[in-house]
Amino acid sequence: MDSLSAIRDAALYRLGAREHSRWELQQKLALKLQRSGADDALITAIATVLDSLEADGYLSDRRFAESFVRSRHDRGQGMLRIRQELRQRGITNELAEEAFALLDYDWFELARSVRERRFGLDAPVDRKSYAKQVRFLQYRGFNPDQVRYALQSDGNE
């Protein structure tokens, strides 16, 4: 089998399971080739295959970013954490912002919902529980304004 077609098959197999960013797919393919003892010529062929997949519409960082934002939002993660994870997967800030704008979620209500699922409807009663809830929401990726909103008991700003 031709090495380019083997790389393409491996890439399509991974893309069939879920969307990947170009950077992410490149890392996975390079790791696979290194484990199989591939030479440097095969590793450099990855870029050619990825260019071809992008041209054919199988690989799209824009589509990956939208899918990733939607998935992480549905898990109850905030914009800050999602943005950081996108950066780690090779997505530019511009593409991340486009994905956030396109999906247009209410991050304040998500923060409130996440807090209520974890801690219940009642507002924190003491400093210790308040601090615990703040840390939890910050870890999930919500900004300070969203955290304050989520910790208000009546929902009014």
Side-chain angles (χ1 to χ4, degrees), residues 5 11 20 23 26 36 44 60 63 87-88 98 105 113 126 128 133-134 153:
S5 67
H20 286 72
W23 180 88
Q26 181 177 343
S36 66
T44 59
S60 168
R63 195 172 55 231
R87 229 178 285 125
Q88 291 172 345
E98 287 177 23
Y105 292 123
S113 170
D126 59 11
K128 185 177 179 182
Q133 292 182 31
V134 167
S153 63

Short mmCIF file of all heavy atoms in Angstrom, two decimals, residues 5 11 20 23 26 36 44 60 63 87-88 98 105 113 126 128 133-134 153:
data_model
loop_
_atom_site.label_atom_id
_atom_site.label_comp_id
_atom_site.label_asym_id
_atom_site.label_seq_id
_atom_site.Cartn_x
_atom_site.Cartn_y
_atom_site.Cartn_z
N SER A 5 -1.51 6.97 0.90
CA SER A 5 -2.86 6.45 1.09
C SER A 5 -3.02 5.85 2.48
O SER A 5 -4.11 5.91 3.06
CB SER A 5 -3.22 5.43 0.01
OG SER A 5 -2.45 4.27 0.12
N ALA A 11 -5.94 9.01 8.79
CA ALA A 11 -6.55 10.30 9.09
C ALA A 11 -8.07 10.23 8.96
O ALA A 11 -8.80 10.72 9.83
CB ALA A 11 -5.99 11.38 8.17
N HIS A 20 -11.51 16.71 14.33
CA HIS A 20 -10.18 16.99 14.87
C HIS A 20 -9.70 18.31 14.29
O HIS A 20 -10.03 18.65 13.16
CB HIS A 20 -9.17 15.91 14.46
CG HIS A 20 -9.32 14.61 15.18
ND1 HIS A 20 -10.36 13.74 14.95
CD2 HIS A 20 -8.54 14.03 16.11
CE1 HIS A 20 -10.21 12.69 15.71
NE2 HIS A 20 -9.10 12.83 16.43
N TRP A 23 -3.91 20.55 13.81
CA TRP A 23 -2.78 20.32 14.70
C TRP A 23 -2.92 18.99 15.43
O TRP A 23 -1.97 18.21 15.53
CB TRP A 23 -2.66 21.47 15.69
CG TRP A 23 -1.51 21.30 16.63
CD1 TRP A 23 -0.22 21.71 16.43
CD2 TRP A 23 -1.54 20.67 17.91
NE1 TRP A 23 0.55 21.36 17.50
CE2 TRP A 23 -0.24 20.72 18.43
CE3 TRP A 23 -2.53 20.06 18.66
CZ2 TRP A 23 0.10 20.19 19.68
CZ3 TRP A 23 -2.21 19.53 19.89
CH2 TRP A 23 -0.91 19.60 20.39
N GLN A 26 -2.46 16.05 13.09
CA GLN A 26 -1.05 15.96 12.72
C GLN A 26 -0.25 15.28 13.84
O GLN A 26 0.59 14.43 13.57
CB GLN A 26 -0.50 17.36 12.45
CG GLN A 26 0.95 17.39 12.04
CD GLN A 26 1.40 18.81 11.72
OE1 GLN A 26 0.58 19.70 11.51
NE2 GLN A 26 2.68 19.01 11.71
N SER A 36 5.53 3.10 14.47
CA SER A 36 5.69 2.04 13.48
C SER A 36 7.06 2.08 12.80
O SER A 36 7.31 1.34 11.87
CB SER A 36 4.57 2.12 12.43
OG SER A 36 4.70 3.32 11.69
N THR A 44 6.96 13.82 6.86
CA THR A 44 6.74 15.05 6.11
C THR A 44 5.56 14.93 5.16
O THR A 44 4.99 15.94 4.76
CB THR A 44 8.01 15.45 5.34
OG1 THR A 44 8.36 14.40 4.46
CG2 THR A 44 9.16 15.77 6.28
N SER A 60 -11.51 20.50 8.87
CA SER A 60 -11.79 21.92 8.97
C SER A 60 -11.61 22.39 10.41
O SER A 60 -12.32 21.92 11.30
CB SER A 60 -13.21 22.21 8.50
OG SER A 60 -13.60 23.51 8.83
N ARG A 63 -14.92 24.05 11.55
CA ARG A 63 -15.95 23.10 11.95
C ARG A 63 -15.59 22.44 13.28
O ARG A 63 -16.44 22.24 14.13
CB ARG A 63 -16.11 22.05 10.84
CG ARG A 63 -17.35 21.22 10.95
CD ARG A 63 -17.56 20.35 9.72
NE ARG A 63 -16.41 19.50 9.47
CZ ARG A 63 -15.80 19.40 8.28
NH1 ARG A 63 -16.24 20.07 7.26
NH2 ARG A 63 -14.77 18.59 8.12
N ARG A 87 -7.01 26.64 22.21
CA ARG A 87 -5.62 27.06 21.97
C ARG A 87 -4.68 25.86 22.04
O ARG A 87 -3.76 25.74 21.24
CB ARG A 87 -5.22 28.12 23.00
CG ARG A 87 -4.58 29.32 22.39
CD ARG A 87 -4.22 30.40 23.40
NE ARG A 87 -5.43 31.11 23.84
CZ ARG A 87 -5.82 31.24 25.11
NH1 ARG A 87 -5.09 30.76 26.08
NH2 ARG A 87 -6.92 31.87 25.42
N GLN A 88 -4.91 24.99 23.00
CA GLN A 88 -4.07 23.80 23.16
C GLN A 88 -4.20 22.85 21.98
O GLN A 88 -3.32 22.04 21.74
CB GLN A 88 -4.42 23.06 24.45
CG GLN A 88 -4.05 23.80 25.70
CD GLN A 88 -4.59 23.12 26.95
OE1 GLN A 88 -5.46 22.26 26.90
NE2 GLN A 88 -4.06 23.54 28.09
N GLU A 98 -14.99 33.30 16.37
CA GLU A 98 -16.06 33.05 15.39
C GLU A 98 -17.00 31.95 15.88
O GLU A 98 -18.22 32.07 15.73
CB GLU A 98 -15.45 32.66 14.04
CG GLU A 98 -14.82 33.79 13.29
CD GLU A 98 -14.18 33.33 11.98
OE1 GLU A 98 -14.58 32.27 11.45
OE2 GLU A 98 -13.29 34.04 11.49
N TYR A 105 -24.26 31.62 23.03
CA TYR A 105 -24.86 31.06 24.24
C TYR A 105 -24.95 32.12 25.34
O TYR A 105 -24.20 33.08 25.34
CB TYR A 105 -24.02 29.90 24.77
CG TYR A 105 -24.02 28.67 23.89
CD1 TYR A 105 -22.84 28.15 23.41
CD2 TYR A 105 -25.20 28.03 23.57
CE1 TYR A 105 -22.83 27.02 22.62
CE2 TYR A 105 -25.21 26.90 22.77
CZ TYR A 105 -24.02 26.40 22.30
OH TYR A 105 -24.02 25.28 21.53
N SER A 113 -26.73 27.64 36.11
CA SER A 113 -27.21 26.26 36.00
C SER A 113 -26.18 25.26 36.53
O SER A 113 -26.53 24.32 37.25
CB SER A 113 -27.55 25.97 34.54
OG SER A 113 -27.80 24.61 34.34
N ASP A 126 -22.02 30.73 54.09
CA ASP A 126 -20.86 31.27 54.79
C ASP A 126 -19.71 31.49 53.81
O ASP A 126 -19.80 31.12 52.64
CB ASP A 126 -20.45 30.37 55.95
CG ASP A 126 -20.10 28.95 55.51
OD1 ASP A 126 -19.98 28.70 54.29
OD2 ASP A 126 -19.95 28.08 56.39
N LYS A 128 -16.81 30.11 53.65
CA LYS A 128 -16.16 28.87 53.19
C LYS A 128 -16.92 28.27 52.00
O LYS A 128 -16.33 27.90 51.00
CB LYS A 128 -16.08 27.88 54.34
CG LYS A 128 -15.32 26.62 54.00
CD LYS A 128 -15.20 25.71 55.21
CE LYS A 128 -14.45 24.44 54.83
NZ LYS A 128 -14.35 23.52 55.96
N GLN A 133 -17.61 27.54 46.05
CA GLN A 133 -18.39 27.68 44.82
C GLN A 133 -17.70 28.58 43.81
O GLN A 133 -17.73 28.32 42.61
CB GLN A 133 -19.80 28.17 45.16
CG GLN A 133 -20.60 27.13 45.91
CD GLN A 133 -22.02 27.55 46.21
OE1 GLN A 133 -22.63 28.31 45.45
NE2 GLN A 133 -22.57 27.06 47.31
N VAL A 134 -17.05 29.63 44.29
CA VAL A 134 -16.30 30.52 43.40
C VAL A 134 -15.18 29.73 42.72
O VAL A 134 -15.01 29.80 41.50
CB VAL A 134 -15.72 31.73 44.16
CG1 VAL A 134 -14.69 32.47 43.33
CG2 VAL A 134 -16.84 32.67 44.57
N SER A 153 -28.72 34.73 44.68
CA SER A 153 -29.82 33.81 44.95
C SER A 153 -31.09 34.10 44.17
O SER A 153 -31.85 33.21 43.83
CB SER A 153 -30.14 33.80 46.45
OG SER A 153 -30.57 35.08 46.86
#
